[in-house]
Structure formats: structure tokens, C-alpha cells
Amino acid sequence: MALKIAATKSRVSEKAWGDVDKSTIWKRLKEALQNNEAGAKEAVKEMYAVVKAAVNAEVTQADCWGPHHEIVGDTLVLNRQGLFAAAQALASARAEPDLTPEQKKSAAKHLVRHYRELDLVAPESIRALAGEKPLPKGETVRLEVTVTGEMSVEEIPVSTAIDIQALKEGDNEPLEVVVEIPAGKSKRGWLYTPQALKRIADVVMEQGLPGFLGHQKPEDIDHEFPQPVTHWVGAKMIGEKAYIRGVVDPSAKDLKRWIKSKAVKTVSIYGIPTLEQVGGETEVVDFQPLSIDWTPLGRAGMDTRVVAVGEMDTIIAKGGTEMRVKEALEVIRQAIIDGNLSTKKIVGEIGVDRTEILEAVGITDYDSTKKIVGEITQLLNVENDKIIEEVKKLKEAADNYAKLEHEQRVNKVIGEMVKEGEEAKKVVKRFLDGKIKVGATDEEIKKAVGELVEQDEVVKQILNAFYNQPYLQTKLDDKGRVPGLVVKRVKI
């Protein structure tokens, strides 16, 4: 048996990256290495953006970073969304912290190669990591508009002026999209500035914008209102790019199909620009948008990309009732609260192994955890489902005891340092409130009292009023501690 690597241009997977079982892929690759199968080493090097150790039977999954392929049969196939996910991770804080600069550069070069195989241009940050020269200033690369997994629609905020759920009401197959509009030259040669794009994003966040199939005629704008096929409901600037979020109208079934099949990939912003001539260039320095419309490929306008398509997951309940996943989870949550459903029953119905769930939340030593929980239940003499409630009570009692003990310690130290005058002690304590953390030592409290009476002018004035002249003197011992306050009492 041998592992093969499919040519990227002839075979690319469009499967959602979140649905790809990376653990199973690693087990297959590890098995191939241990059995010394033909093509195993090459498959590992291709599967991951970088491998931090020698590729042999001893290599571990922790040594491999940036998966972006699937294994179909015995063939390694590039996953488009996996590629975008790896590039985004490498360019962001999610990248492995122990990747060396050389490893990051190697990973970037690997990913850039795949972008080129797809006739796409890799993000600037990835090209920079790969050591490639930056694009000329002001030049915008013509990107093929493709549906990608570079971000989710939820990453773009929705305008508070729009009820997005009402827009989706009655739609059995709701579809959302996010389009990316970069600053740079349009095909007509106008240079769109970042502030012009920000103006567009601001308008969307203030009121939203309609989207039509093609632009209206200028003479019809004042009196015509065609039916929108998309409602642009949110926007966000990231660097010099505007990301606009839209909801496809329930009536636009053809448009949904075109977007999913990538037959329609571009939008054009229709509106009134403010132009300036700068160094022979026509710059768009402001823009009053009227609509963001879907256009056939190749039309004049800004280069745009559809960077996210979000379809609402649904659950078909018994009787044909359709329910969104979030709604279903809320129903389950409420059923657990009401006592009508147990987590044990849920796990049993789904058929998921309990160790998988525990590993997902970071608990790998299940037996030890179970033993500890069992000991706690016996100690407290409560049922398993009451543990959290009882532990919370213990925590609250411990916190209250710590606060009481702290209060007594503060009173004791103030009593030792301020020898006479109950009113003076009350003043000092009142001004110390909140300035000493619970659990502070006697020395820390003494230091705080000393600093208060030495540095706080308000405290000095109040206490001086009690005695009609400077009332106390502070001194530090040879270790810098405040041993006490010497109170000088004066008859009035």
C-alpha cells in the first residue's frame, strides 16, 4: 500500500474544515510511517505546513503544525478551507508560540505554493513571512472571488438599527455572506482610500444598505425602489479592508444557488464619490453609498471577494418541525435546568464516548478526576449533582471567614499604632477601606497605615483637628518597616 498526493489543480476538496477529522488523518499517517509505506514521509511533509522534527516513525503529532489536507482513500487532497485556516493561524496570535522564525518562513512558503496552485494570491502577511517582496504601493491584485473559510459571518457585527432575525423569518434556508473590499485602485483607475471604505462601513452600521442584481439607472434613483436581493446589515474595518455582512433575501433563491456554486462572486458599490486629484491620481477620499449590488464578473468597480458564506444549521425534529441549532441547544439547556433531562442521557442518546467529551474540555485523566469527585461527595455527604452547589457554599463561607479575619487584623494593627483616641482610629480605618487586600500581613497593614498618615493631606487635616496641633509622628526602623505611631496628646 502507498500514499499518493493529488495534483492540486486537478483535485481540491471544498469540504468544511471543521468537519475534517484531523485525528483520524494523523493516525493513518503515523501508521504509514511505522509500516514504512511508500510515500508516507512525503505525505506527512505535504499534509502539514511545517514539521518540527525528523520525519520518521518517532515523529509525534505535536511536531506537526498547520494541517490543510484530507486523506481520501490513500490519496492526500488539498482542502481549500484548511489552507485558509492554516494561513490565518500562521498570521495571527494562534500560531504555535514555539515555531522558530525559520519554521514560520518554511510554513509560509509551503502555504504560498498552494495559493499559487489555486491561482490565488496569498495574504500579504503570509507573503511577508515567506520573504517575498511587497506589492507596489497603491496596486490592488486582481483576485478571483471565491467562497472561502477565512472568517465566519459572526465575526462581523450587525447594525443595531436592523433586526436580523426578522429578515430571516420564514426562510427555511437562510444564507449570509461577507464580502471583502480592499483599499486600492478600481478597474477604472480610481484609487479608493481607506477613509472612503470606512465611510461605507459606517453607513452600513448606521442604517444598513440594500443590494440589487445590478445597479439602478441614475435617473430612477429618486422614484424607484426595486426589490432587494440582499440586505447589508453589518460592517467592520480590518486594516485597509472593509468587510460587509449581508443577508440574502428569502425570495432570492436563484441568487443563493449562484453564490453557493460560485457562479456569482462580485459586488459593486453604487454611490456618490468625492474625488481629489493627487499627483496625477484620482483618489476617492469619501463615498456616499446608495447600494451594494451583485454584478457579473469583469464589470468596472472595486475588486471584491466573497470571504464567508454562512448557512443556518437546522435540526429536523419529529413531526417535521425545523429548529435552528442554537434554539435546540437552548431547549436542551432549559430541560436540564428544569430537571427533565440529564447530561448522562444526552451523551447516551448521541452515542459519544465520555472520554471524548472530557478531552474536549481539557480533562484527560478521567479516572483520577472521578476518584476525586467521589471522595468529595463522600466527605460532604451529597449526591454528585449537588457537588457544585455545596462547593460554592464552602467557597462563600471561606471568603466570609477570610474577610472577618482580615477585619480583625486591621482593627488590631490600628489599635496598636494609634494608642489613644477612638475617633482617630475610626478616621484611619475609614480612609484605609479598600486599600488593603484581604489576606495582607501585619507588616503590610502597618506600612499602609504609615503611608496613609504621612502622605494623605486630608487625613492629616482631620486628625490634626482632633488635637489642634500635629498629632502623630511616624518613623521607620532600619529595615524600612513602620513599627508604630507615636501619638502626642495635647489638651484643648
Side-chain angles (χ1 to χ4, degrees), residues 360-393:
V361 297
I363 300 175
T364 55
D365 193 348
Y366 173 75
D367 290 335
S368 296
T369 304
K370 183 179 179 182
K371 181 180 178 182
I372 292 170
V373 172
E375 290 175 355
I376 294 174
T377 56
Q378 290 179 8
L379 182 64
L380 298 179
N381 193 27
V382 295
E383 298 295 330
N384 280 356
D385 57 355
K386 299 292 184 181
I387 288 179
I388 294 178
E389 182 180 338
E390 292 299 319
V391 170
K392 284 181 178 178
K393 289 179 182 178

PDB file of all heavy atoms in Angstrom, residues 360-393:
ATOM      1  N   ALA A 360     -12.292  17.028  25.216  1.00  0.00           N
ATOM      2  CA  ALA A 360     -12.653  18.284  24.549  1.00  0.00           C
ATOM      3  C   ALA A 360     -12.633  19.463  25.503  1.00  0.00           C
ATOM      4  O   ALA A 360     -12.361  20.588  25.103  1.00  0.00           O
ATOM      5  CB  ALA A 360     -14.037  18.151  23.902  1.00  0.00           C
ATOM      6  N   VAL A 361     -12.926  19.212  26.782  1.00  0.00           N
ATOM      7  CA  VAL A 361     -12.916  20.305  27.765  1.00  0.00           C
ATOM      8  C   VAL A 361     -11.636  20.297  28.588  1.00  0.00           C
ATOM      9  O   VAL A 361     -11.535  20.990  29.598  1.00  0.00           O
ATOM     10  CB  VAL A 361     -14.147  20.230  28.700  1.00  0.00           C
ATOM     11  CG1 VAL A 361     -15.419  20.404  27.924  1.00  0.00           C
ATOM     12  CG2 VAL A 361     -14.173  18.905  29.477  1.00  0.00           C
ATOM     13  N   GLY A 362     -10.643  19.509  28.149  1.00  0.00           N
ATOM     14  CA  GLY A 362      -9.339  19.563  28.792  1.00  0.00           C
ATOM     15  C   GLY A 362      -9.127  18.592  29.927  1.00  0.00           C
ATOM     16  O   GLY A 362      -8.154  18.704  30.666  1.00  0.00           O
ATOM     17  N   ILE A 363     -10.020  17.607  30.113  1.00  0.00           N
ATOM     18  CA  ILE A 363      -9.844  16.616  31.184  1.00  0.00           C
ATOM     19  C   ILE A 363      -9.413  15.305  30.537  1.00  0.00           C
ATOM     20  O   ILE A 363     -10.186  14.673  29.817  1.00  0.00           O
ATOM     21  CB  ILE A 363     -11.149  16.406  31.980  1.00  0.00           C
ATOM     22  CG1 ILE A 363     -11.587  17.722  32.624  1.00  0.00           C
ATOM     23  CG2 ILE A 363     -10.973  15.327  33.038  1.00  0.00           C
ATOM     24  CD1 ILE A 363     -12.927  17.641  33.325  1.00  0.00           C
ATOM     25  N   THR A 364      -8.166  14.929  30.750  1.00  0.00           N
ATOM     26  CA  THR A 364      -7.660  13.708  30.124  1.00  0.00           C
ATOM     27  C   THR A 364      -7.522  12.570  31.112  1.00  0.00           C
ATOM     28  O   THR A 364      -7.620  11.411  30.751  1.00  0.00           O
ATOM     29  CB  THR A 364      -6.293  13.988  29.479  1.00  0.00           C
ATOM     30  OG1 THR A 364      -5.416  14.543  30.466  1.00  0.00           O
ATOM     31  CG2 THR A 364      -6.427  14.984  28.334  1.00  0.00           C
ATOM     32  N   ASP A 365      -7.283  12.886  32.381  1.00  0.00           N
ATOM     33  CA  ASP A 365      -7.143  11.835  33.399  1.00  0.00           C
ATOM     34  C   ASP A 365      -8.507  11.600  34.045  1.00  0.00           C
ATOM     35  O   ASP A 365      -8.787  12.048  35.154  1.00  0.00           O
ATOM     36  CB  ASP A 365      -6.100  12.265  34.437  1.00  0.00           C
ATOM     37  CG  ASP A 365      -5.687  11.089  35.331  1.00  0.00           C
ATOM     38  OD1 ASP A 365      -6.368  10.051  35.269  1.00  0.00           O
ATOM     39  OD2 ASP A 365      -4.713  11.234  36.085  1.00  0.00           O
ATOM     40  N   TYR A 366      -9.368  10.869  33.341  1.00  0.00           N
ATOM     41  CA  TYR A 366     -10.753  10.712  33.771  1.00  0.00           C
ATOM     42  C   TYR A 366     -10.861   9.950  35.084  1.00  0.00           C
ATOM     43  O   TYR A 366     -11.609  10.328  35.983  1.00  0.00           O
ATOM     44  CB  TYR A 366     -11.559  10.002  32.684  1.00  0.00           C
ATOM     45  CG  TYR A 366     -12.969   9.658  33.115  1.00  0.00           C
ATOM     46  CD1 TYR A 366     -13.939  10.663  33.193  1.00  0.00           C
ATOM     47  CD2 TYR A 366     -13.321   8.366  33.472  1.00  0.00           C
ATOM     48  CE1 TYR A 366     -15.234  10.358  33.605  1.00  0.00           C
ATOM     49  CE2 TYR A 366     -14.604   8.061  33.877  1.00  0.00           C
ATOM     50  CZ  TYR A 366     -15.564   9.059  33.943  1.00  0.00           C
ATOM     51  OH  TYR A 366     -16.823   8.772  34.354  1.00  0.00           O
ATOM     52  N   ASP A 367     -10.077   8.855  35.207  1.00  0.00           N
ATOM     53  CA  ASP A 367     -10.194   8.023  36.409  1.00  0.00           C
ATOM     54  C   ASP A 367      -9.816   8.798  37.671  1.00  0.00           C
ATOM     55  O   ASP A 367     -10.475   8.696  38.706  1.00  0.00           O
ATOM     56  CB  ASP A 367      -9.303   6.781  36.269  1.00  0.00           C
ATOM     57  CG  ASP A 367      -9.853   5.811  35.225  1.00  0.00           C
ATOM     58  OD1 ASP A 367     -11.075   5.845  34.995  1.00  0.00           O
ATOM     59  OD2 ASP A 367      -9.067   5.048  34.640  1.00  0.00           O
ATOM     60  N   SER A 368      -8.735   9.603  37.582  1.00  0.00           N
ATOM     61  CA  SER A 368      -8.320  10.390  38.751  1.00  0.00           C
ATOM     62  C   SER A 368      -9.374  11.422  39.101  1.00  0.00           C
ATOM     63  O   SER A 368      -9.692  11.639  40.275  1.00  0.00           O
ATOM     64  CB  SER A 368      -6.984  11.082  38.454  1.00  0.00           C
ATOM     65  OG  SER A 368      -5.972  10.137  38.252  1.00  0.00           O
ATOM     66  N   THR A 369      -9.928  12.045  38.057  1.00  0.00           N
ATOM     67  CA  THR A 369     -10.965  13.051  38.275  1.00  0.00           C
ATOM     68  C   THR A 369     -12.188  12.420  38.940  1.00  0.00           C
ATOM     69  O   THR A 369     -12.763  12.977  39.881  1.00  0.00           O
ATOM     70  CB  THR A 369     -11.376  13.696  36.934  1.00  0.00           C
ATOM     71  OG1 THR A 369     -10.221  14.228  36.312  1.00  0.00           O
ATOM     72  CG2 THR A 369     -12.396  14.804  37.155  1.00  0.00           C
ATOM     73  N   LYS A 370     -12.577  11.253  38.454  1.00  0.00           N
ATOM     74  CA  LYS A 370     -13.736  10.556  39.018  1.00  0.00           C
ATOM     75  C   LYS A 370     -13.492  10.210  40.486  1.00  0.00           C
ATOM     76  O   LYS A 370     -14.380  10.345  41.338  1.00  0.00           O
ATOM     77  CB  LYS A 370     -14.012   9.287  38.213  1.00  0.00           C
ATOM     78  CG  LYS A 370     -15.248   8.523  38.684  1.00  0.00           C
ATOM     79  CD  LYS A 370     -15.465   7.283  37.826  1.00  0.00           C
ATOM     80  CE  LYS A 370     -16.685   6.506  38.309  1.00  0.00           C
ATOM     81  NZ  LYS A 370     -16.881   5.270  37.508  1.00  0.00           N
ATOM     82  N   LYS A 371     -12.242   9.776  40.793  1.00  0.00           N
ATOM     83  CA  LYS A 371     -11.908   9.412  42.168  1.00  0.00           C
ATOM     84  C   LYS A 371     -12.006  10.620  43.092  1.00  0.00           C
ATOM     85  O   LYS A 371     -12.564  10.546  44.185  1.00  0.00           O
ATOM     86  CB  LYS A 371     -10.500   8.825  42.214  1.00  0.00           C
ATOM     87  CG  LYS A 371     -10.070   8.380  43.608  1.00  0.00           C
ATOM     88  CD  LYS A 371      -8.656   7.815  43.587  1.00  0.00           C
ATOM     89  CE  LYS A 371      -8.216   7.429  44.995  1.00  0.00           C
ATOM     90  NZ  LYS A 371      -6.822   6.920  44.991  1.00  0.00           N
ATOM     91  N   ILE A 372     -11.471  11.767  42.607  1.00  0.00           N
ATOM     92  CA  ILE A 372     -11.501  12.989  43.418  1.00  0.00           C
ATOM     93  C   ILE A 372     -12.935  13.417  43.685  1.00  0.00           C
ATOM     94  O   ILE A 372     -13.319  13.755  44.809  1.00  0.00           O
ATOM     95  CB  ILE A 372     -10.729  14.110  42.720  1.00  0.00           C
ATOM     96  CG1 ILE A 372      -9.230  13.760  42.689  1.00  0.00           C
ATOM     97  CG2 ILE A 372     -10.935  15.449  43.427  1.00  0.00           C
ATOM     98  CD1 ILE A 372      -8.418  14.671  41.812  1.00  0.00           C
ATOM     99  N   VAL A 373     -13.763  13.387  42.634  1.00  0.00           N
ATOM    100  CA  VAL A 373     -15.169  13.777  42.785  1.00  0.00           C
ATOM    101  C   VAL A 373     -15.869  12.840  43.762  1.00  0.00           C
ATOM    102  O   VAL A 373     -16.672  13.271  44.602  1.00  0.00           O
ATOM    103  CB  VAL A 373     -15.885  13.770  41.415  1.00  0.00           C
ATOM    104  CG1 VAL A 373     -17.379  13.979  41.589  1.00  0.00           C
ATOM    105  CG2 VAL A 373     -15.309  14.843  40.509  1.00  0.00           C
ATOM    106  N   GLY A 374     -15.563  11.540  43.674  1.00  0.00           N
ATOM    107  CA  GLY A 374     -16.178  10.579  44.587  1.00  0.00           C
ATOM    108  C   GLY A 374     -15.808  10.854  46.033  1.00  0.00           C
ATOM    109  O   GLY A 374     -16.657  10.777  46.930  1.00  0.00           O
ATOM    110  N   GLU A 375     -14.545  11.188  46.274  1.00  0.00           N
ATOM    111  CA  GLU A 375     -14.109  11.494  47.634  1.00  0.00           C
ATOM    112  C   GLU A 375     -14.798  12.745  48.175  1.00  0.00           C
ATOM    113  O   GLU A 375     -15.156  12.810  49.361  1.00  0.00           O
ATOM    114  CB  GLU A 375     -12.586  11.676  47.657  1.00  0.00           C
ATOM    115  CG  GLU A 375     -11.832  10.369  47.430  1.00  0.00           C
ATOM    116  CD  GLU A 375     -10.336  10.591  47.343  1.00  0.00           C
ATOM    117  OE1 GLU A 375      -9.913  11.757  47.367  1.00  0.00           O
ATOM    118  OE2 GLU A 375      -9.595   9.596  47.250  1.00  0.00           O
ATOM    119  N   ILE A 376     -14.993  13.735  47.284  1.00  0.00           N
ATOM    120  CA  ILE A 376     -15.668  14.973  47.708  1.00  0.00           C
ATOM    121  C   ILE A 376     -17.123  14.689  48.078  1.00  0.00           C
ATOM    122  O   ILE A 376     -17.635  15.186  49.095  1.00  0.00           O
ATOM    123  CB  ILE A 376     -15.592  16.040  46.605  1.00  0.00           C
ATOM    124  CG1 ILE A 376     -14.139  16.477  46.393  1.00  0.00           C
ATOM    125  CG2 ILE A 376     -16.448  17.259  46.957  1.00  0.00           C
ATOM    126  CD1 ILE A 376     -13.948  17.417  45.228  1.00  0.00           C
ATOM    127  N   THR A 377     -17.789  13.876  47.273  1.00  0.00           N
ATOM    128  CA  THR A 377     -19.204  13.574  47.560  1.00  0.00           C
ATOM    129  C   THR A 377     -19.338  12.841  48.892  1.00  0.00           C
ATOM    130  O   THR A 377     -20.283  13.082  49.656  1.00  0.00           O
ATOM    131  CB  THR A 377     -19.828  12.727  46.443  1.00  0.00           C
ATOM    132  OG1 THR A 377     -19.050  11.540  46.264  1.00  0.00           O
ATOM    133  CG2 THR A 377     -19.882  13.490  45.141  1.00  0.00           C
ATOM    134  N   GLN A 378     -18.397  11.929  49.174  1.00  0.00           N
ATOM    135  CA  GLN A 378     -18.450  11.211  50.450  1.00  0.00           C
ATOM    136  C   GLN A 378     -18.178  12.148  51.624  1.00  0.00           C
ATOM    137  O   GLN A 378     -18.836  12.088  52.661  1.00  0.00           O
ATOM    138  CB  GLN A 378     -17.421  10.076  50.444  1.00  0.00           C
ATOM    139  CG  GLN A 378     -17.790   8.929  49.494  1.00  0.00           C
ATOM    140  CD  GLN A 378     -16.750   7.835  49.484  1.00  0.00           C
ATOM    141  OE1 GLN A 378     -15.825   7.851  50.283  1.00  0.00           O
ATOM    142  NE2 GLN A 378     -16.900   6.884  48.575  1.00  0.00           N
ATOM    143  N   LEU A 379     -17.192  13.020  51.453  1.00  0.00           N
ATOM    144  CA  LEU A 379     -16.827  13.947  52.515  1.00  0.00           C
ATOM    145  C   LEU A 379     -17.976  14.890  52.850  1.00  0.00           C
ATOM    146  O   LEU A 379     -18.256  15.171  54.014  1.00  0.00           O
ATOM    147  CB  LEU A 379     -15.582  14.745  52.101  1.00  0.00           C
ATOM    148  CG  LEU A 379     -15.034  15.744  53.130  1.00  0.00           C
ATOM    149  CD1 LEU A 379     -14.544  15.004  54.366  1.00  0.00           C
ATOM    150  CD2 LEU A 379     -13.897  16.552  52.520  1.00  0.00           C
ATOM    151  N   LEU A 380     -18.643  15.384  51.795  1.00  0.00           N
ATOM    152  CA  LEU A 380     -19.741  16.334  52.008  1.00  0.00           C
ATOM    153  C   LEU A 380     -21.085  15.634  52.223  1.00  0.00           C
ATOM    154  O   LEU A 380     -22.071  16.286  52.558  1.00  0.00           O
ATOM    155  CB  LEU A 380     -19.856  17.270  50.793  1.00  0.00           C
ATOM    156  CG  LEU A 380     -18.630  18.155  50.491  1.00  0.00           C
ATOM    157  CD1 LEU A 380     -18.888  19.012  49.259  1.00  0.00           C
ATOM    158  CD2 LEU A 380     -18.301  19.047  51.679  1.00  0.00           C
ATOM    159  N   ASN A 381     -21.118  14.311  51.947  1.00  0.00           N
ATOM    160  CA  ASN A 381     -22.351  13.535  52.090  1.00  0.00           C
ATOM    161  C   ASN A 381     -23.470  14.096  51.217  1.00  0.00           C
ATOM    162  O   ASN A 381     -24.578  14.358  51.658  1.00  0.00           O
ATOM    163  CB  ASN A 381     -22.802  13.506  53.566  1.00  0.00           C
ATOM    164  CG  ASN A 381     -23.886  12.459  53.799  1.00  0.00           C
ATOM    165  OD1 ASN A 381     -23.962  11.456  53.068  1.00  0.00           O
ATOM    166  ND2 ASN A 381     -24.720  12.692  54.786  1.00  0.00           N
ATOM    167  N   VAL A 382     -23.123  14.312  49.922  1.00  0.00           N
ATOM    168  CA  VAL A 382     -24.112  14.832  48.970  1.00  0.00           C
ATOM    169  C   VAL A 382     -24.083  13.972  47.709  1.00  0.00           C
ATOM    170  O   VAL A 382     -23.165  13.201  47.471  1.00  0.00           O
ATOM    171  CB  VAL A 382     -23.805  16.295  48.588  1.00  0.00           C
ATOM    172  CG1 VAL A 382     -23.950  17.196  49.796  1.00  0.00           C
ATOM    173  CG2 VAL A 382     -22.424  16.437  47.962  1.00  0.00           C
ATOM    174  N   GLU A 383     -25.134  14.128  46.898  1.00  0.00           N
ATOM    175  CA  GLU A 383     -25.187  13.450  45.607  1.00  0.00           C
ATOM    176  C   GLU A 383     -24.273  14.163  44.618  1.00  0.00           C
ATOM    177  O   GLU A 383     -23.939  15.332  44.779  1.00  0.00           O
ATOM    178  CB  GLU A 383     -26.622  13.451  45.066  1.00  0.00           C
ATOM    179  CG  GLU A 383     -27.613  12.713  45.951  1.00  0.00           C
ATOM    180  CD  GLU A 383     -27.310  11.222  46.028  1.00  0.00           C
ATOM    181  OE1 GLU A 383     -26.773  10.677  45.033  1.00  0.00           O
ATOM    182  OE2 GLU A 383     -27.592  10.613  47.078  1.00  0.00           O
ATOM    183  N   ASN A 384     -23.879  13.438  43.541  1.00  0.00           N
ATOM    184  CA  ASN A 384     -22.970  14.001  42.541  1.00  0.00           C
ATOM    185  C   ASN A 384     -23.464  15.319  41.959  1.00  0.00           C
ATOM    186  O   ASN A 384     -22.698  16.259  41.755  1.00  0.00           O
ATOM    187  CB  ASN A 384     -22.747  13.001  41.398  1.00  0.00           C
ATOM    188  CG  ASN A 384     -21.725  11.947  41.768  1.00  0.00           C
ATOM    189  OD1 ASN A 384     -21.141  12.011  42.851  1.00  0.00           O
ATOM    190  ND2 ASN A 384     -21.526  10.980  40.894  1.00  0.00           N
ATOM    191  N   ASP A 385     -24.786  15.381  41.664  1.00  0.00           N
ATOM    192  CA  ASP A 385     -25.303  16.578  41.002  1.00  0.00           C
ATOM    193  C   ASP A 385     -25.421  17.772  41.949  1.00  0.00           C
ATOM    194  O   ASP A 385     -25.823  18.869  41.533  1.00  0.00           O
ATOM    195  CB  ASP A 385     -26.660  16.295  40.339  1.00  0.00           C
ATOM    196  CG  ASP A 385     -27.689  15.772  41.352  1.00  0.00           C
ATOM    197  OD1 ASP A 385     -27.302  15.560  42.513  1.00  0.00           O
ATOM    198  OD2 ASP A 385     -28.854  15.587  40.953  1.00  0.00           O
ATOM    199  N   LYS A 386     -25.099  17.545  43.255  1.00  0.00           N
ATOM    200  CA  LYS A 386     -25.163  18.652  44.226  1.00  0.00           C
ATOM    201  C   LYS A 386     -23.766  19.161  44.597  1.00  0.00           C
ATOM    202  O   LYS A 386     -23.637  20.080  45.410  1.00  0.00           O
ATOM    203  CB  LYS A 386     -25.881  18.189  45.498  1.00  0.00           C
ATOM    204  CG  LYS A 386     -27.328  17.750  45.285  1.00  0.00           C
ATOM    205  CD  LYS A 386     -28.215  18.921  44.919  1.00  0.00           C
ATOM    206  CE  LYS A 386     -29.676  18.489  44.802  1.00  0.00           C
ATOM    207  NZ  LYS A 386     -30.556  19.617  44.424  1.00  0.00           N
ATOM    208  N   ILE A 387     -22.724  18.547  44.007  1.00  0.00           N
ATOM    209  CA  ILE A 387     -21.354  18.899  44.386  1.00  0.00           C
ATOM    210  C   ILE A 387     -21.069  20.376  44.164  1.00  0.00           C
ATOM    211  O   ILE A 387     -20.570  21.079  45.052  1.00  0.00           O
ATOM    212  CB  ILE A 387     -20.332  18.054  43.594  1.00  0.00           C
ATOM    213  CG1 ILE A 387     -20.350  16.621  44.085  1.00  0.00           C
ATOM    214  CG2 ILE A 387     -18.924  18.625  43.766  1.00  0.00           C
ATOM    215  CD1 ILE A 387     -19.396  15.727  43.354  1.00  0.00           C
ATOM    216  N   ILE A 388     -21.367  20.869  42.961  1.00  0.00           N
ATOM    217  CA  ILE A 388     -21.040  22.259  42.629  1.00  0.00           C
ATOM    218  C   ILE A 388     -21.723  23.221  43.583  1.00  0.00           C
ATOM    219  O   ILE A 388     -21.119  24.177  44.080  1.00  0.00           O
ATOM    220  CB  ILE A 388     -21.436  22.564  41.172  1.00  0.00           C
ATOM    221  CG1 ILE A 388     -20.563  21.743  40.218  1.00  0.00           C
ATOM    222  CG2 ILE A 388     -21.293  24.052  40.870  1.00  0.00           C
ATOM    223  CD1 ILE A 388     -20.905  21.928  38.764  1.00  0.00           C
ATOM    224  N   GLU A 389     -23.008  22.943  43.883  1.00  0.00           N
ATOM    225  CA  GLU A 389     -23.759  23.810  44.790  1.00  0.00           C
ATOM    226  C   GLU A 389     -23.119  23.834  46.180  1.00  0.00           C
ATOM    227  O   GLU A 389     -22.967  24.896  46.793  1.00  0.00           O
ATOM    228  CB  GLU A 389     -25.195  23.297  44.879  1.00  0.00           C
ATOM    229  CG  GLU A 389     -26.093  24.153  45.750  1.00  0.00           C
ATOM    230  CD  GLU A 389     -27.516  23.610  45.807  1.00  0.00           C
ATOM    231  OE1 GLU A 389     -27.899  22.856  44.879  1.00  0.00           O
ATOM    232  OE2 GLU A 389     -28.222  23.929  46.778  1.00  0.00           O
ATOM    233  N   GLU A 390     -22.705  22.645  46.669  1.00  0.00           N
ATOM    234  CA  GLU A 390     -22.102  22.573  48.005  1.00  0.00           C
ATOM    235  C   GLU A 390     -20.721  23.221  48.036  1.00  0.00           C
ATOM    236  O   GLU A 390     -20.355  23.900  48.999  1.00  0.00           O
ATOM    237  CB  GLU A 390     -21.997  21.107  48.453  1.00  0.00           C
ATOM    238  CG  GLU A 390     -23.327  20.435  48.720  1.00  0.00           C
ATOM    239  CD  GLU A 390     -24.089  21.147  49.839  1.00  0.00           C
ATOM    240  OE1 GLU A 390     -23.474  21.534  50.835  1.00  0.00           O
ATOM    241  OE2 GLU A 390     -25.318  21.313  49.690  1.00  0.00           O
ATOM    242  N   VAL A 391     -19.949  23.016  46.969  1.00  0.00           N
ATOM    243  CA  VAL A 391     -18.612  23.626  46.908  1.00  0.00           C
ATOM    244  C   VAL A 391     -18.724  25.149  46.866  1.00  0.00           C
ATOM    245  O   VAL A 391     -17.927  25.857  47.474  1.00  0.00           O
ATOM    246  CB  VAL A 391     -17.829  23.099  45.689  1.00  0.00           C
ATOM    247  CG1 VAL A 391     -16.545  23.901  45.483  1.00  0.00           C
ATOM    248  CG2 VAL A 391     -17.484  21.627  45.872  1.00  0.00           C
ATOM    249  N   LYS A 392     -19.733  25.647  46.163  1.00  0.00           N
ATOM    250  CA  LYS A 392     -19.956  27.101  46.134  1.00  0.00           C
ATOM    251  C   LYS A 392     -20.245  27.633  47.528  1.00  0.00           C
ATOM    252  O   LYS A 392     -19.771  28.713  47.913  1.00  0.00           O
ATOM    253  CB  LYS A 392     -21.114  27.436  45.183  1.00  0.00           C
ATOM    254  CG  LYS A 392     -20.757  27.373  43.713  1.00  0.00           C
ATOM    255  CD  LYS A 392     -21.945  27.749  42.852  1.00  0.00           C
ATOM    256  CE  LYS A 392     -21.581  27.734  41.380  1.00  0.00           C
ATOM    257  NZ  LYS A 392     -22.754  28.065  40.529  1.00  0.00           N
ATOM    258  N   LYS A 393     -21.037  26.858  48.295  1.00  0.00           N
ATOM    259  CA  LYS A 393     -21.355  27.280  49.668  1.00  0.00           C
ATOM    260  C   LYS A 393     -20.089  27.314  50.522  1.00  0.00           C
ATOM    261  O   LYS A 393     -19.873  28.230  51.316  1.00  0.00           O
ATOM    262  CB  LYS A 393     -22.379  26.321  50.281  1.00  0.00           C
ATOM    263  CG  LYS A 393     -23.778  26.427  49.687  1.00  0.00           C
ATOM    264  CD  LYS A 393     -24.712  25.419  50.343  1.00  0.00           C
ATOM    265  CE  LYS A 393     -26.106  25.475  49.726  1.00  0.00           C
ATOM    266  NZ  LYS A 393     -27.008  24.467  50.328  1.00  0.00           N
TER     267      LYS A 393
END
